[in-house]
Amino acid sequence: MTRSITDTFNRTALLAVHEGTRATVDAALNAQVATGMAIVANSMASDVRGQAALCTAVATAVRAFGHVIVIADGKVPLTAGPHRGHTIVQMIEQEGARLADDLTDVPADWPVLYLGDAALPAPGGGVRLRARWSGWTAHVHPADTGTDHSLDGNILAAIAAAALGVHEAFGAIRNRPGSDAGWRTITVNLWQPGTSVGGPELTHAPAAWWIVGLGHLGQAYAWVMSWLTYADPTQVEIVLQDTQRVVDANHSTGLLTPVKPDPVRKTRLAAAVLERAGYDVVILDRRLDHTTRVLVDDHHVALLGVDSLDPRRLISGVGWKLAIDAGLGVGPADFNAVLLRRFPAQILSDQVPGWKGHVPQQRRAATAALADLQRRDPCGSVQLAGTAVGAAFVGVVTACLGVAQGIRAALSGDGFDVINLHMQTDDVDLAPATREVDVVAARLCALY
């Protein structure tokens, strides 16, 4: 298989190239390798929510930082998630992090992320963060502030809190002008973003899902679903739809993609994880096109994580009872901006402003410029002004929002037509749902 040079680049490290802080890809990658952070869990992982938070923090951190040190009880077996059946130390090794007993070897300027009520003295000088979860809300704040370390949140909030903590650590190291990441309190309410409104107990979730696109977002969706413990997962159908095979660069944003992966289809990576969780998995190795239709009796909640407008315009015509499209920003200023749209809505998918027409001229020009640079420098030491960047921790927060909205439809029948969240500024805009949906629910096990 012939691969372009962009197939091998770490998409998170490329932020530095986009910003101009590193003149070449080599310089950006070398700078990324020099970074590091520590994650402190102590005994938090004895609870499934703590396990979900720990695994998510580790998996997203190793894709954003050059080195990750973890303090946890390595002997604890994981009861859910992609690494279920393995011990914590096996998970840490497989993800590419390192288990330690304390923070002695952690440089003073590395960010340290404490999960839940975990505590351990750390050398001074760097960012010290705490991630916790309550209800449907993920919280991250400086570790030496706040006294409320309650952990009565559900598993989605725990996953989102871990990813949000890595986001804040990454923002602190990135140190963009005007950013207070790492020194602020930030929350994401998965039930009703931008508010303190609480939701009901997480007792049920949709009985059928359909994931379109198994790249950055699709793998994050599969990651999140692997932690949902249905009472009978064999009765829950998950359709996986994609045509692409994984490349080396997918590891930097795809939580299910290993380092130097074999060029297998992305659907197979997700299927392996979800089948291990007991789900009834259906694979569709075909594109979403104008012929795609669901049966009248189908009741899937569709989760779309695609990177082009053509399949988005087709959403309303497929016949899904509920479809949630997620889009992410593509540049250094908005890579952590999230836009979710729900269908059916007041307008059809082919009428959405911004989804009409063709790729903007500037995007075509940037792509052409990248192709020209690739031809002129096959070694890949080029500025990638037109290559999309990404970070796994953004995909996880987005996936938690999308899955939560699917669950909200199953629990209460409502939701939001639009959720617009910018994780850098903590700004949120919402548009309430304008159409009722009928989502079939399945019971979840009582975990806590």
Side-chain angles (χ1 to χ4, degrees):
M1 181 189 302
T2 301
R3 297 186 178 186
S4 71
I5 58 173
T6 55
D7 287 344
T8 61
F9 291 143
N10 182 301
R11 304 289 168 79
T12 308
L14 285 179
L15 282 168
V17 181
H18 275 269
E19 291 180 307
T21 56
R22 301 289 169 179
T24 67
V25 171
D26 288 341
L29 293 177
N30 290 336
Q32 192 257 356
V33 168
T35 63
M37 73 171 290
I39 299 166
V40 181
N42 295 104
S43 60
M44 280 299 304
S46 60
D47 174 86
V48 69
R49 292 167 296 181
Q51 292 184 5
L54 174 59
C55 291
T56 300
V58 173
T60 54
V62 297
R63 287 161 171 79
F65 292 86
H67 303 275
V68 176
I69 291 177
V70 182
I71 289 83
D73 183 353
K75 297 178 182 179
V76 174
L78 296 168
T79 58
H83 294 279
R84 70 178 61 223
H86 295 159
T87 62
I88 286 177
V89 69
Q90 288 173 322
M91 177 275 295
I92 291 170
E93 292 172 350
Q94 289 167 8
E95 290 291 350
R98 179 166 67 88
L99 183 68
D101 294 325
D102 53 40
L103 297 171
T104 303
D105 295 333
V106 173
D109 58 349
W110 279 21
V112 177
L113 175 63
Y114 294 91
L115 300 179
D117 58 4
L120 193 69
V127 169
R128 307 294 179 251
L129 297 163
R130 186 172 302 279
R132 58 185 183 84
W133 41 95
S134 59
W136 290 81
T137 302
H139 309 260
V140 176
H141 56 80
D144 60 353
T145 64
T147 58
D148 181 9
H149 295 164
S150 61
L151 298 172
D152 58 349
N154 62 48
I155 201 158
L156 293 179
I159 294 170
L164 192 62
V166 176
H167 171 274
E168 291 297 283
F170 183 81
I173 289 294
R174 196 171 170 222
N175 195 28
R176 296 191 82 215
S179 172
D180 58 354
W183 306 100
R184 63 181 176 175
T185 295
I186 184 171
T187 63
V188 174
N189 184 332
L190 301 174
W191 184 260
Q192 188 158 328
T195 75
S196 58
V197 174
E201 185 180 352
L202 178 55
T203 58
H204 292 76
W209 302 88
W210 190 312
I211 306 177
V212 181
L214 271 301
H216 179 187
L217 283 172
Q219 291 186 36
Y221 278 128
W223 177 278
V224 172
M225 286 183 191
S226 72
W227 291 98
L228 295 179
T229 51
Y230 286 89
D232 187 358
T234 64
Q235 298 302 306
V236 178
E237 182 177 274
I238 301 181
V239 179
L240 304 174
Q241 184 169 8
D242 200 322
T243 61
Q244 294 184 341
R245 297 177 183 273
V246 292
V247 296
D248 291 356
N250 295 145
H251 171 262
S252 57
T253 54
L255 287 183
L256 307 184
T257 305
V259 177
K260 301 294 182 183
D262 294 328
V264 299
R265 292 191 184 275
K266 294 177 180 179
T267 51
R268 302 311 191 270
L269 286 179
V273 167
L274 296 174
E275 286 174 346
R276 212 161 43 242
Y279 294 117
D280 179 18
V281 177
V282 177
I283 293 175
L284 291 182
D285 290 323
R286 55 168 294 179
R287 297 182 183 277
L288 182 69
D289 59 26
H290 68 280
T291 67
T292 306
R293 296 288 187 276
V294 299
L295 301 176
V296 174
D297 293 336
D298 285 340
H299 52 270
H300 300 85
V301 172
L303 302 169
L304 292 95
V306 295
D307 57 5
S308 63
L309 295 180
D310 288 343
R312 288 189 165 113
R313 298 186 188 109
L314 300 172
I315 293 173
S316 294
V318 175
W320 287 305
K321 298 295 189 292
L322 173 63
I324 300 168
D325 174 82
L328 305 179
V330 296
D334 64 354
F335 80 100
N336 48 6
V338 178
L339 177 62
L340 278 80
R341 288 187 177 275
R342 161 184 151 138
F343 299 94
Q346 195 166 16
I347 59 175
L348 300 176
S349 59
D350 60 359
Q351 298 172 347
V352 174
W355 287 10
K356 298 179 180 180
H358 302 287
V359 178
Q361 182 65 37
Q362 61 266 29
R363 180 68 59 81
R364 293 200 302 270
T367 302
L370 172 60
D372 181 60
L373 284 169
Q374 289 176 327
R375 285 192 295 271
R376 288 191 284 111
D377 190 349
C379 293
S381 185
V382 297
Q383 286 191 288
L384 301 174
T387 301
V389 298
F393 47 76
V394 176
V396 171
V397 174
T398 306
C400 287
L401 279 167
V403 171
Q405 289 309 300
I407 292 174
R408 177 166 180 152
L411 290 176
S412 62
D414 60 3
F416 300 94
D417 279 357
V418 177
I419 298 176
N420 193 350
L421 166 68
H422 202 305
M423 294 168 61
Q424 182 166 306
T425 61
D426 201 19
D427 292 332
V428 181
D429 291 310
L430 301 175
T434 54
R435 296 289 185 273
E436 292 185 0
V437 296
D438 183 16
V439 175
V440 176
R443 180 173 292 278
L444 296 171
C445 293
L447 298 177
Y448 0 94

